[in-house]
Structure formats: C-alpha cells, structure tokens
Amino acid sequence: MKVFKKQISAKDASGSILLLPEVPEDLWHAYNLLQEGDLVRCTTLRKVVKESSTGSTTAKKVRTSLTIRVDKVDFDPDSLQVRISGPNVEESKFVKLGAHHTLTLELDRQFSIIKECWDQIFLDRIDEACNPERAAEIAAIVMQPGLAHLCLVTGSITVTKAKIEITIPKKRTGSSKHSSALKRFYEAIYQSVLRHVDFKQIKCVLTASAGYLRDDWFQYMLEQSVRRDDRPFIENKSKFVLCKASSGHKHALEEVFSDPQIMERMSDTKVAKEVKELDRFMRLIDTDPDKAYYGYNH
C-alpha cells in the first residue's frame, strides 16, 4: 500500500488519506479500514443514457469520480475486490446527488477515505500495510489426484495463486495413460510453485494431501530440480513440510493449521501466532463465555 496524501487535523483527527493498493493484502486492509458513515472517493464506470431529438436513446459507459457515503462494504477474496455501496454525496455531471452507487476498489487504482475521526488503530493498520516486510510467510499446496491449489498465507488472508486441474484416468494393465497424466499433474504443480513462490520471503511450504500423493510429488520435485538445476528448489528443499489433508480443495488448509505438530514447525510465523490466539479465544468461549467478546464495541 502506498500513501500519496494524508490530511488529518491535529485538533479532532478528522481528514482524508489518499491510498494506492498494490498487493492483494492491501485490499483486505482497505476493507478493514472502512466503516459505515465514512466517505470514499475514487473513479468508477457509470452507464449514461442520452436521448436524441428524434427520441432514440444511446447508452455508453463513462469514467467519472464519485464520493459516496458508506452504507455497506463487501470483500471478495476470489476476485480481489472491495465493493462499497452508498449514496452519492457530491454533485456530479453523470450521477445525481443522493443516488445510490457501488464503487469497486481494485489493485493499482487510487482511492481516498474521509473519516470524521481517524482512530490510532486505523493509522496503525495503514502503517502495517505500507511496511515492505508484510509479505506472506507461508506457501501451501493442497492436492488430490487431478486437483491442487497453491496458496500464499499472510497474517490476514489466504490468496489462491494457482488452481491445477488435470483429468487422471484410472490405472489399466498395459496402459501408461495414468502415469503420463500423473506426471503432467506433478509438472503443473512444480511450475506453479516455481512461478509464484518467492523463497527469499517464504519461511515454509506446506505440502498436504491424503495418502502418499504429497510424498510422490515431493520426490518428483527433488529429482527434477537436480536434473534441471533449479536452484530455488535445491536450496530451499528444507522449507517443504509434508502434512495430511483430506482433499485438494482450499478449505483443507483448515485441517493443516489445526495440527499441533505443523503449527510447531511454523512457530516463528505471524499466522501461527494468530491461530494460537484464536484457539485460546475459542477455548475461553467454551470455559468462560462471559469473558470472551469480539466486534466493534469490544
């Protein structure tokens, strides 16, 4: 996240901040910065209908700048977008004052947040988003025959970087189609990891599956990396942690993070610390629910 302009009153902490989200986690920070009643200003596309003197109409989309009062905020982790709905509060050539509109915050597009009071918590979150050391510490691969997901796990969000789907036929005597398809599947995962995982920042790569699929892929990775002299794999093979998961779907990561032995291996990561605190919170709900609270008022 980049801060281009910050105008906050020293008297009452009101003001605006102009931001530019650069990586997916920045949008998650933006989602958490917004509250009902805030004002958001950014460019958007608006459908404009014009009527000619003959009565015929033409419609076209124009890009315009709008300022809306936040009524509702949604975050879509798949499309990596924050959608903000509310009424327009500034007169516009294309949008009437008070007309409802939905703004979409996206990567590499500036937007301004205007608040009546910038709480220190919000300012700390912006500082965290602007910190260059905020990158993901954990990569995770969950797989089953023919399906795999490669994700990057940060302290706030899990981002899917690749989804691999390959049809793998059943084993048949005298046919090599099964082994050939499995090799293509392993190769697709291999290339995805090579393309999306920055081993300079990643502390460990969780490799999870049911059965021995994870072991077979890890062996394939070791053999191929030596044969091709792919240094990222050769120099960081100790970062791969093999673990159990029931499927190759993204939600199987919950099983991985619930394994105490795996969390012990990741004890120095931000994710492990947050999972530990969440577990403590959930245990407190069970043992003494009057002490456990969460939400805006707590």
Side-chain angles (χ1 to χ4, degrees):
M1 184 91 78
K2 282 186 178 179
V3 176
F4 282 91
K5 183 186 273 188
K6 183 188 287 188
Q7 293 179 317
I8 298 178
S9 169
K11 183 179 179 180
D12 58 6
S14 64
S16 65
I17 299 180
L18 178 62
L19 302 166
L20 176 70
E22 297 179 299
V23 296
E25 189 173 1
D26 291 343
L27 292 172
W28 174 249
H29 285 300
Y31 169 73
N32 284 282
L33 285 170
L34 293 167
Q35 288 185 306
E36 186 176 339
D38 290 345
L39 302 182
V40 176
R41 181 185 298 118
C42 73
T43 60
T44 183
L45 288 174
R46 184 76 174 184
K47 185 178 180 181
V48 177
V49 179
K50 290 186 177 181
E51 185 175 346
S52 66
S53 57
T54 60
S56 61
T57 59
T58 57
K60 66 175 183 177
K61 288 186 176 181
V62 296
R63 184 165 292 280
T64 184
S65 180
L66 289 182
T67 303
I68 69 169
R69 187 177 303 279
V70 177
D71 281 348
K72 183 181 178 182
V73 186
D74 289 312
F75 176 67
D76 187 343
D78 294 322
S79 63
L80 295 175
Q81 292 179 336
V82 178
R83 298 186 183 92
I84 308 160
S85 302
N88 179 37
V89 297
E90 289 185 359
E91 194 69 44
S92 169
K93 180 180 178 181
F94 303 107
V95 183
K96 293 180 180 179
L97 192 65
H100 273 71
H101 188 79
T102 298
L103 295 178
T104 301
L105 306 185
E106 298 174 324
L107 294 178
D108 300 315
R109 183 182 295 177
Q110 293 182 8
F111 67 94
S112 293
I113 301 177
I114 304 162
K115 287 179 176 287
E116 293 183 357
C117 179
W118 280 93
D119 189 279
Q120 188 60 44
I121 295 175
F122 294 130
L123 298 177
D124 289 344
R125 180 173 281 276
I126 291 176
D127 288 339
E128 179 186 345
C130 294
N131 186 343
E133 298 178 357
R134 72 194 182 289
E137 299 176 307
I138 298 172
I141 313 164
V142 285
M143 63 181 81
Q144 67 187 52
L147 175 65
H149 283 82
L150 170 62
C151 305
L152 296 181
V153 184
T154 72
S156 307
I157 190 173
T158 300
V159 180
T160 302
K161 300 301 294 183
K163 179 180 180 182
I164 298 103
E165 286 184 293
I166 293 177
T167 302
I168 299 179
K170 293 181 179 180
K171 286 184 178 179
R172 286 186 173 84
T173 305
S175 175
S176 61
K177 290 183 179 181
H178 175 81
S179 59
S180 297
L182 205 55
K183 188 175 291 186
R184 289 199 308 274
F185 179 59
Y186 290 161
E187 179 62 21
I189 300 174
Y190 183 100
Q191 293 298 331
S192 294
V193 175
L194 198 60
R195 187 180 309 114
H196 295 294
V197 176
D198 182 358
F199 286 100
K200 292 179 181 178
Q201 296 179 340
I202 294 296
K203 293 183 178 180
C204 75
V205 183
L206 303 175
T207 309
S209 75
Y212 295 99
L213 191 65
R214 60 185 179 275
D215 302 275
D216 293 341
W217 178 81
F218 184 67
Q219 188 60 39
Y220 176 87
M221 184 270 291
L222 292 177
E223 293 172 356
Q224 294 301 315
S225 61
V226 172
R227 187 174 69 83
R228 305 174 193 181
D229 195 30
D230 282 334
R231 305 309 300 177
F233 285 126
I234 296 172
E235 295 170 0
N236 295 280
K237 60 184 179 182
S238 61
K239 292 184 178 181
F240 286 82
V241 179
L242 305 184
C243 41
K244 295 180 181 179
S246 61
S247 75
H249 294 280
K250 187 177 175 180
H251 62 74
L253 282 174
E254 296 176 15
E255 305 168 25
V256 177
F257 291 130
S258 64
D259 188 332
Q261 293 182 342
I262 299 301
M263 296 309 295
E264 185 66 27
R265 294 282 299 272
M266 304 188 304
S267 58
D268 63 335
T269 65
K270 186 178 179 181
V271 173
K273 294 172 184 175
E274 292 191 353
V275 169
K276 184 178 180 180
E277 288 302 311
L278 182 60
D279 288 341
R280 192 168 73 89
F281 174 74
M282 297 306 292
R283 285 197 301 271
L284 193 60
I285 288 180
D286 290 336
T287 57
D288 196 348
D290 292 333
K291 283 187 177 180
Y293 296 94
Y294 66 94
Y296 288 118
N297 296 325
H298 302 291

